Amino acid sequence: MSALLELTNITKTYPGVIANENISLSVTKGEIVALLGENGAGKSTLVKAVFGLVRPDSGEIRIKGDLISAGDTAAAIEHGVGMVHQHFQLVPVMSVTENIILGDEPRKGIFIDKKKAREEVVALSKRYGLEVDPDAIVEDLPVGMQQRIEILKALRKDVDLLILDEPTAVLTPQEIEELLGVIKNLASAGVGVLFITHKLREVMAVADRVVVLRNGKTAGATTPKETNEEGLAQLMVGRNVVLQVDKSDAVKQGIVLSIRDLQANDDRKHTAVDGFSLDVHAGEIMGIAGVEGNGQRELVEAICGMRPRLMGSVLVDGLETPDMQPHKVHRMGISHIPEDREKHGLVASYSIEDNLVLNQFDQPPFANGWIRNSNALEQNANTLVEEFDIRTPSIKTTAGALSGGNKQKVVVARELSQNTKVVVAAQPTRGVDVGSIEFIHKQLVSARDHGAAVLLVSAELDEILSLSDRIAVMFGGKIVAILDGKDADRAKIGRMMAGLAS
Amino acid sequence: MRSRWLMFAITFIAILYFYMRDSLVTTSVIGTAITFGLPLAMAAMVGIMCERTGIVNIGIEGTLLVSSFVGFFTASASGNLILGLISAVAMGAISGLLLSLLAVTWKMDQIIAGTIINILATGLTSFFYKQGHTIPSTFPEVDIPGLSSIPFFGPVLFMHGPLTYAGIILIFVLWVALYKTPWGLRSRAVGEHPSSADTAGVSVIKLRYLNVAIAGAFGGLAGAYLTLELVGSWDRGFSAGKGFTALALMIFGRWNPIGALGAAIFFGTAQAVTNQLMITQVVTIPQQFTNMLPYVLTILILAISAGKVRAPAAEGQPYEKEQA
């Protein structure tokens, strides 16, 4: 059988980076091919090239045998390629119907035939068994539903090849199961699926074949039958990886961080944190599990003084921390590894040296009164670069020039090197390669072992499960349950995260 | 929504009350309100069309200035009003294309791009301006047969020059086009979330060029209206800040053509009422204060709408395809 998609020697370079180097790949009808790789391995670039969103420097793209010219989205769509993007390509203020018909609207004269458009959406959702409300406004819908719209959008034009770019990143475990079911159904209906992910479990569950990319090159191709998760991880990283975090039992001490009836709004002024109370002991890692958008971000910001606390208080060692004064909150002993390192963690145009003292630059030994002590700064930077394995040409290099993983290590180094009583780590390994994840996890465990109270917020359930001594499940701005980390059941937590069970 | 209906109701009752007391003056005041408000409404359409596709246009003032200038002097030199109109509209479109070139192609900061247009317009028109030119006449008033004899509505709505009708009709056309046609859906998508439009096969760049150019032509029409229909002359600084006021009305009208039209008429009414009070000497305040009225109102309008309205999300951001 001829291949649906045939890529030959695709190469794409960006200034200073080779995103794809001589990659060849094929997908046939009804086949699910998983494209596996770390962040920055070039997966997204490759599929964007297929869809015409990225113009490869060289190489050949053939769909159903026809040569597709580089950077031609329209031609790709015409040949039956549909793509579900990693970042949803939906207009938030428009309705589901409007989003699905955009670009190819049913018409009546010069006007949009709204009735027909709606019928089309209803029929489409029936046909694939993906239920949606055609009149709902997209921004009011949960992410799982938004993704469903993305998939319907892609399926609308009778696609033969469906590309999914990290479709499971923002879903609950239940939504992931559902999505994998949908993918299987599509494949058995004859659709070829090219599915990008860095989650090994998903690959093992649905893929017929796996292609692994590393540093822009094909690192290997295999099938789930021939390998296992460890084998795939090794292909991905190029060396042995310890998937399970090695840690001893927590030595729990007294309560250090205590959050009392905290309430905070999100940016749209809706209640996001709704009466949240939690105690975290010294020497334990408390994981907050939850689907993104259930108030975790607002919780972290309210704790760290970056978002107004409407009610309630945050105590460190029994002392109340001030509201909306991040600097003072930090002085009282709360370190913060922020979710968005580019925005809140680093100053991209400052050197690594300066970034490593961002919240203590005015304290001795880094400053004597008004004068900065360059020796102390350099010494500090050199020590931390060494200790935290920050891969950089020099400590004077600007933080913006580092890779995602190394940027994150700078933030982690700064926050953990101060030996604060509390560490609030929000999505500490987001967008970071597997090697750095392993390292950051070790550092968090070591902070715990040194007696810090660690509050870990992560959308990755695996991360929560492998690190936490206790797990608080958050849903709708509240804690649904607190479980012991050891006997936490993945499926049960998943249901709680979706607000189903208690 | 409710406050809007309330505003309508109050306006309606107020007009009715004054009409019963003095039909002649009320009719003339509301008629004047439309005359004052229309150029602002048309200028606001320029802003709406641009911003709906994600381009901030603060160069409307410049577009008005330069297109009215070209329109007036073409009409003056040729003695032909139609030729003046055509050249004004063409000049408006050119100023739109210039903005596209700066902001879409060169991805310049859009506030600076708009400022460049304003400075260019002021400089060029001042430099080439010559005193003493006149045009033979302005566009004559065309009374719509039948409709113009309806009491109140006749004189208010159906006894105007051709460009007034054209302006009002085009505002409604724009409204329908924006919400009912594929073009409108795509334009709004481009202004809200350009990469969604791009991935759906809509060319963001082409649509932005097209819309900003059409918007410029619309601004040209507004310029032509000001000089060739309303005033009949041209002087330095002729547009007198109308392009900026229009931006305020656009925001007050929530980027909706009908909303902006309503805001413009409200604005025109305030001015017409003040004029009337001054002429009849009911109140005597120094003229300087009444001249300030449009600007004070603009500030008030912006203060009222600030924070309550939501601008198109992708406004002001150049579109980078490969970051999609």
Side-chain angles (χ1 to χ4, degrees):
Chain A
M1 193 161 53
S2 75
L4 200 56
L5 172 75
E6 183 99 61
L7 299 178
T8 326
N9 295 329
I10 299 292
T11 297
K12 169 77 193 174
T13 54
Y14 288 108
V17 196
I18 301 174
N20 290 157
E21 191 179 342
N22 286 325
I23 296 181
S24 301
L25 179 128
S26 72
V27 182
T28 57
K29 211 164 171 280
E31 188 184 33
I32 303 174
V33 176
L35 193 54
L36 185 70
E38 294 187 76
N39 288 292
K43 304 173 305 237
S44 283
T45 310
L46 186 68
V47 294
K48 279 183 187 162
V50 175
F51 200 61
L53 293 170
V54 162
R55 199 181 288 269
D57 304 330
S58 65
E60 229 181 55
I61 303 169
R62 282 181 187 275
I63 303 175
K64 296 181 195 162
D66 294 347
L67 191 66
I68 303 292
S69 60
D72 192 347
T73 308
I77 294 175
E78 219 169 86
H79 278 79
V81 179
M83 181 158 171
V84 175
H85 299 265
Q86 182 176 9
H87 305 288
F88 295 157
Q89 298 300 328
L90 299 171
V91 184
V93 296
M94 290 186 179
S95 75
V96 171
T97 301
E98 284 176 317
N99 267 290
I100 292 177
I101 62 166
L102 179 66
D104 184 17
E105 304 83 358
R107 293 169 195 226
K108 197 158 67 186
I110 59 161
F111 299 110
I112 294 176
D113 190 341
K114 288 198 172 154
K115 213 177 121 212
K116 199 172 153 211
R118 196 177 181 283
E119 283 165 5
E120 205 179 300
V121 171
V122 172
L124 190 67
S125 92
K126 274 226 184 81
R127 186 172 147 201
Y128 291 102
L130 294 167
E131 211 169 296
V132 290
D133 171 6
D135 305 315
I137 300 299
V138 166
E139 66 183 355
D140 299 336
L141 298 174
V143 276
M145 193 58 88
Q146 294 192 8
Q147 181 167 53
R148 211 174 262 196
I149 301 162
E150 275 283 353
I151 295 173
L152 283 176
K153 215 171 87 176
L155 291 174
R156 175 166 174 246
K157 286 159 202 165
D158 290 321
V159 297
D160 300 309
L161 175 68
L162 183 65
I163 302 172
L164 297 126
D165 190 353
E166 302 218 11
T168 57
V170 288
L171 302 186
T172 61
Q174 273 72 26
E175 284 171 325
I176 291 175
E177 285 308 313
E178 224 171 274
L179 175 72
L180 296 181
V182 170
I183 291 176
K184 277 184 185 160
N185 284 343
L186 287 173
S188 55
V191 177
V193 179
L194 183 59
F195 164 62
I196 293 190
T197 185
H198 59 245
K199 295 186 187 166
L200 305 167
R201 185 195 313 275
E202 294 162 8
V203 174
M204 298 302 291
V206 295
D208 296 318
R209 281 196 297 129
V210 191
V211 174
V212 183
L213 297 190
R214 189 194 327 145
N215 296 329
K217 288 178 225 157
T218 314
T222 176
T223 63
K225 286 195 193 91
E226 296 166 25
T227 183
N228 55 21
E229 291 193 20
E230 271 71 28
L232 287 174
Q234 200 174 334
L235 264 183
M236 229 163 112
V237 187
R239 61 178 169 84
N240 273 319
V241 181
V242 187
L243 287 178
Q244 202 55 44
V245 181
D246 215 9
K247 64 177 169 82
S248 54
D249 288 345
V251 186
K252 237 160 96 170
Q253 297 151 37
I255 294 170
V256 179
L257 173 70
S258 101
I259 303 161
R260 295 262 166 273
D261 302 317
L262 195 63
Q263 203 170 330
N265 280 348
D266 63 15
D267 294 335
R268 291 193 291 162
K269 308 249 186 282
H270 299 153
T271 305
V273 180
D274 192 7
F276 185 101
S277 297
L278 184 69
D279 289 327
V280 188
H281 296 260
E284 74 165 344
I285 296 180
M286 171 65 97
I288 306 262
V291 180
E292 261 184 277
N294 275 288
Q296 298 96 317
R297 188 163 72 85
E298 290 79 7
L299 170 70
V300 167
E301 290 180 3
I303 292 173
C304 297
M306 291 161 63
R307 181 175 290 273
R309 301 169 190 159
L310 300 181
M311 263 182 20
S313 52
V314 177
L315 310 168
V316 175
D317 273 345
L319 295 172
E320 183 157 357
T321 58
D323 189 16
M324 286 304 280
Q325 295 187 51
H327 197 58
K328 282 197 183 150
V329 172
H330 176 260
R331 283 285 140 79
M332 289 184 67
I334 299 184
S335 277
H336 178 205
I337 299 171
E339 174 180 332
D340 186 345
R341 58 174 167 267
E342 312 279 340
K343 198 167 161 192
H344 296 130
L346 296 165
V347 181
S349 58
Y350 281 12
S351 66
I352 290 167
E353 178 184 73
D354 285 341
N355 270 296
L356 284 168
V357 293
L358 273 188
N359 47 24
Q360 45 176 348
F361 66 93
D362 54 345
Q363 303 286 310
F366 305 118
N368 301 319
W370 288 26
I371 313 292
R372 303 186 73 198
N373 180 348
S374 54
N375 282 336
L377 289 168
E378 265 172 36
Q379 203 190 347
N380 175 63
N382 283 323
T383 318
L384 293 181
V385 163
E386 174 79 35
E387 192 180 328
F388 285 82
D389 189 29
I390 300 166
R391 312 260 169 91
T392 169
S394 138
I395 56 166
K396 309 283 182 194
T397 308
T398 56
L402 297 177
S403 72
N406 281 304
K407 278 181 191 163
Q408 187 69 355
K409 284 188 204 162
V410 172
V411 178
V412 170
R414 180 183 66 225
E415 299 300 327
L416 296 188
S417 64
Q418 297 174 43
N419 295 320
T420 48
K421 295 171 197 154
V422 179
V423 175
V424 177
Q427 322 287 0
T429 57
R430 167 165 296 173
V432 166
D433 55 283
V434 176
S436 305
I437 290 178
E438 201 186 347
F439 183 81
I440 291 169
H441 283 173
K442 271 188 199 152
Q443 294 301 323
L444 286 172
V445 172
S446 119
R448 175 202 79 166
D449 293 342
H450 285 97
V454 180
L455 185 68
L456 170 71
V457 178
S458 175
E460 301 281 348
L461 189 50
D462 289 325
E463 180 165 51
I464 297 282
L465 287 169
S466 61
L467 281 177
S468 309
D469 300 309
R470 286 194 297 155
I471 297 171
V473 184
M474 194 168 176
F475 176 76
K478 289 190 180 81
I479 289 182
V480 187
I482 298 181
L483 312 159
D484 197 89
K486 271 190 203 146
D487 50 43
D489 173 45
R490 191 182 169 79
K492 190 175 165 203
I493 294 183
R495 279 195 299 279
M496 288 176 180
M497 282 163 69
L500 293 177
S502 53
Chain B
M1 269 322 273
R2 249 177 52 207
S3 67
R4 254 139 235 264
W5 284 114
L6 200 71
M7 238 173 81
F8 269 122
I10 292 173
T11 319
F12 182 75
I13 292 166
I15 292 175
L16 197 68
Y17 171 75
F18 287 113
Y19 187 73
M20 307 247 266
R21 287 198 59 180
D22 189 337
S23 62
L24 221 63
V25 171
T26 307
T27 309
S28 119
V29 164
I30 301 300
T32 317
I34 295 209
T35 312
F36 280 151
L38 188 70
L40 293 171
M42 285 163 74
M45 295 312 128
V46 182
I48 289 172
M49 278 195 68
C50 292
E51 297 209 357
R52 279 292 189 172
T53 36
I55 303 292
V56 174
N57 186 351
I58 65 157
I60 302 174
E61 177 75 6
T63 299
L64 291 180
L65 192 63
V66 76
S67 60
S68 60
F69 174 86
V70 169
F72 178 79
F73 284 95
T74 307
S76 168
S78 66
N80 187 334
L81 285 176
I82 301 288
L83 219 58
L85 170 66
I86 293 169
S87 61
V89 170
M91 189 62 227
I94 291 170
S95 77
L97 285 173
L98 176 63
L99 178 65
S100 297
L101 179 72
L102 298 174
V104 180
T105 308
W106 292 347
K107 298 177 178 153
M108 189 185 266
D109 182 291
Q110 294 173 7
I111 300 296
I112 293 175
T115 308
I116 287 175
I117 288 175
N118 288 334
I119 292 173
L120 260 181
T122 313
L124 288 176
T125 55
S126 305
F127 181 75
F128 286 112
Y129 175 63
K130 287 203 174 57
Q131 261 180 330
H133 286 262
T134 56
I135 51 173
S137 68
T138 56
F139 276 108
E141 187 179 299
V142 181
D143 298 353
I144 310 274
L147 292 174
S148 58
S149 43
I150 305 171
F152 183 69
F153 291 104
V156 167
L157 291 175
F158 302 110
M159 291 168 80
H160 290 287
L163 299 189
T164 309
Y165 299 129
I168 294 176
I169 291 168
L170 282 173
I171 288 170
F172 282 93
V173 168
L174 176 61
W175 177 66
V176 171
L178 207 49
Y179 292 103
K180 307 277 179 199
T181 67
W183 169 82
L185 182 71
R186 292 171 183 195
S187 296
R188 285 182 291 131
V190 165
E192 289 287 344
H193 200 271
S195 60
S196 340
D198 193 18
T199 51
V202 175
S203 167
V204 175
I205 306 294
K206 268 190 213 155
L207 201 58
R208 285 189 170 170
Y209 254 91
L210 178 73
N211 286 5
V212 175
I214 298 176
F218 219 103
L221 181 67
Y225 166 80
L226 281 173
T227 175
L228 301 179
E229 184 167 304
L230 188 63
V231 181
S233 65
W234 198 93
D235 208 338
R236 284 195 178 95
F238 180 70
S239 46
K242 288 189 177 60
F244 294 115
T245 305
L247 283 175
L249 298 175
M250 166 190 80
I251 295 170
F252 194 48
R254 302 180 178 213
W255 287 266
N256 178 322
I258 302 297
L261 177 63
I265 289 175
F266 164 73
F267 202 89
T269 309
Q271 225 173 344
V273 168
T274 323
N275 279 9
Q276 187 64 31
L277 294 178
M278 292 291 291
I279 293 165
T280 51
Q281 305 222 313
V282 177
V283 285
T284 46
I285 41 173
Q287 207 199 339
Q288 282 81 352
F289 284 98
T290 57
N291 288 348
M292 269 162 37
L293 186 76
Y295 310 105
V296 174
L297 266 181
T298 307
I299 293 172
L300 276 180
I301 283 176
L302 282 178
I304 291 169
S305 9
K308 288 182 198 151
V309 293
R310 201 159 139 191
E315 194 180 273
Q317 301 158 9
Y319 183 58
E320 306 273 2
K321 194 179 168 91
E322 294 213 344
Q323 281 177 3

